[in-house]
């Protein structure tokens, strides 16, 4: 049994991000790219190194963060509305993908932006599932990948429970503007700047780019005990790349915990379709762990190598 508590300030009411553990709105990813049949040039993968420059904004981040407390683990994350407004106001060359998304009022721009600035409903679902079903000691000495991490809450939880965690997102600017700041917000406040950067480099790696390129970039690296991923199956055309990444990155006895909606309107993919797609291959077996029927159906599945 677990308990948690958090406060939502009135100033957060215009935030685009749903607070974890609140009953979510039914919000769907939609693709603004009408030329879906055109060849998409996906971003090459690259490792993103945290720098001290990001620490200059840490005081501002501290003032614009939400705090979640449960059991003996506390999570903090930036208010997305604050970040998005700041990005729209400034012409930052390092955050052009997020800026394009906001200007076009689209959560998905094929090959350009993949929705990483928001915390989607199924991230809340998977985080609650982890809290209810895994003791803190389960994560100790585990090597974890938060794939399609966005805000990084799933990986940050595992990190704070003792795991070594790598974070991957399609967009470099999501990692630099959202994921890495969120990880920094959850480090021990008594650490010096040098110690914070050192801890980041020892306990985590950050990777941007397309999944197939990411798998190739890291093919000779240590494999993962657990891969956590949420809201990553909406694009049917990318599902094989996702499975290939799981297969290449997972230890032989590892598990994938995947959370998703039953159907993504306007995009095509969904959990039921994905499970049927899994059955067509020979690499994985899947098990439903949790399902919700309110609003739009959502679920969590576990994947293991066969």
């Amino acid at each position: 049994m677990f308990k948690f508590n958090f406060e939502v300030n009135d100033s957060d009411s215009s935030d685009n991000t749903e607070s974890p553990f609140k009953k979510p709105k039914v919000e769907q990813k939609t693709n603004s790219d009408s030329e879906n049949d055109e060849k998409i040039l996906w971003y090459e993968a690259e490792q993103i190194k945290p720098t001290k420059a990001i620490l200059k904004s840490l005081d501002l981040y501290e003032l614009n963060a939400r705090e979640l407390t449960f059991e003996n683990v506390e999570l903090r994350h930036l208010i997305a509305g604050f970040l998005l407004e700041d990005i729209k106001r400034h012409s930052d060359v390092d955050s052009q993908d997020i800026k394009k998304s906001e200007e076009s009022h689209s959560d998905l721009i094929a090959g350009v932006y993949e929705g990483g600035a928001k915390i989607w409903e199924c991230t809340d679902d998977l985080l609650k599932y982890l809290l209810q079903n895994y003791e803190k000691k389960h994560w100790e000495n585990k090597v974890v990948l938060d794939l399609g991490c966005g805000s990084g809450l799933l990986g940050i939880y595992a990190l704070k429970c003792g795991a070594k965690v790598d974070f991957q997102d399609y967009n470099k600017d999501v990692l630099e503007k959202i994921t890495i700041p969120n990880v920094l917000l959850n480090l021990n406040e008594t650490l010096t700047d040098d110690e914070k950067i050192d801890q980041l480099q020892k306990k985590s790696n950050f990777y941007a780019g397309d999944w197939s390129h990411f798998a190739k970039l890291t093919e000779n690296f240590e494999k993962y005990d657990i891969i956590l991923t949420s809201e990553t199956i909406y694009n049917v055309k990318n599902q094989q790349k996702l499975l290939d990444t799981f297969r290449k990155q997972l230890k032989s006895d590892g598990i994938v915990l995947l959370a998703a909606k039953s159907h993504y309107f306007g995009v095509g993919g969904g959990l039921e379709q994905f499970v049927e797609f899994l059955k067509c291959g020979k690499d994985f077996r899947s098990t439903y762990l949790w399902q919700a029927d309110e609003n739009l159906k959502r679920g969590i599945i576990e994947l293991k190598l066969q």
Side-chain angles (χ1 to χ4, degrees), residues 228-242:
L228 304 172
T229 190
S230 173
E231 310 268 23
T232 51
I233 63 168
Y234 50 86
N235 187 338
V236 174
K237 294 180 180 179
N238 284 340
Q239 288 179 359
Q240 188 58 55
K241 285 196 294 187
L242 182 63

Side-chain angles (χ1 to χ4, degrees), residues 288-304:
Y288 269 95
L289 301 176
W290 176 87
Q291 289 179 283
D293 290 326
E294 77 269 12
N295 293 328
L296 188 70
K297 291 182 180 179
R298 309 184 309 280
I300 297 170
I301 61 173
E302 177 187 79
L303 280 69
K304 292 183 176 180

Side-chain angles (χ1 to χ4, degrees), residues 122-303:
C122 294
T123 297
D124 299 353
D125 294 336
L126 185 49
L127 187 53
K128 284 189 285 187
Y129 181 85
L130 297 179
L131 298 174
Q132 291 173 317
N133 293 277
Y134 290 90
E135 295 182 5
K136 186 176 179 180
K137 64 181 180 181
H138 170 81
W139 301 96
E140 293 176 0
N141 301 315
K142 292 290 194 301
V143 184
V144 176
L145 172 64
D146 188 347
L147 189 70
C149 62
S151 64
L153 286 182
L154 298 172
I156 291 170
Y157 173 73
L159 189 65
K160 297 199 76 169
C161 289
K164 178 183 181 299
V165 182
D166 290 348
F167 298 84
Q168 186 279 337
D169 196 87
Y170 181 68
N171 293 102
K172 175 182 178 180
D173 48 355
V174 167
L175 290 168
E176 293 180 332
K177 300 294 183 179
I178 300 173
T179 315
I180 294 175
N182 280 346
V183 177
L184 283 169
L185 283 171
N186 286 276
L187 296 182
N188 190 321
E189 295 179 359
T190 64
L191 296 176
T192 66
D193 288 354
D194 286 336
E195 288 171 336
K196 287 178 179 177
I197 296 297
D198 184 61
Q199 186 164 329
L200 273 183
Q201 293 175 340
K202 285 182 177 178
K203 298 288 288 184
S204 297
N205 295 297
F206 301 87
Y207 299 99
D210 180 60
W211 288 325
S212 59
H213 300 311
F214 163 67
K216 185 175 181 180
L217 176 68
T218 59
E219 61 184 349
N220 295 320
F221 294 1
E222 184 177 12
K223 306 306 179 187
Y224 298 99
D225 297 294
I226 302 172
I227 296 177
L228 304 172
T229 190
S230 173
E231 310 268 23
T232 51
I233 63 168
Y234 50 86
N235 187 338
V236 174
K237 294 180 180 179
N238 284 340
Q239 288 179 359
Q240 188 58 55
K241 285 196 294 187
L242 182 63
L243 288 180
D244 290 343
T245 301
F246 292 160
R247 178 174 50 80
K248 293 175 181 177
Q249 299 295 331
L250 196 63
K251 291 181 179 179
S252 59
D253 60 347
I255 63 170
V256 177
L257 296 176
L258 182 150
K261 298 183 180 73
S262 272
H263 185 69
Y264 290 90
F265 296 107
V267 188
L271 192 55
E272 294 170 7
Q273 169 270 323
F274 183 69
V275 169
E276 290 302 312
F277 180 63
L278 280 171
K279 293 177 182 178
C280 297
K282 299 180 180 180
D283 290 329
F284 293 96
R285 63 183 185 275
S286 65
T287 305
Y288 269 95
L289 301 176
W290 176 87
Q291 289 179 283
D293 290 326
E294 77 269 12
N295 293 328
L296 188 70
K297 291 182 180 179
R298 309 184 309 280
I300 297 170
I301 61 173
E302 177 187 79
L303 280 69

Side-chain angles (χ1 to χ4, degrees), residues 54 57-65 78 82-83 177 181 185:
I54 200 170
S57 301
L58 199 55
D59 288 341
L60 183 61
Y61 296 156
E62 295 274 358
L63 295 172
N64 291 277
L78 288 166
F82 152 73
L83 273 174
K177 300 294 183 179
L185 283 171

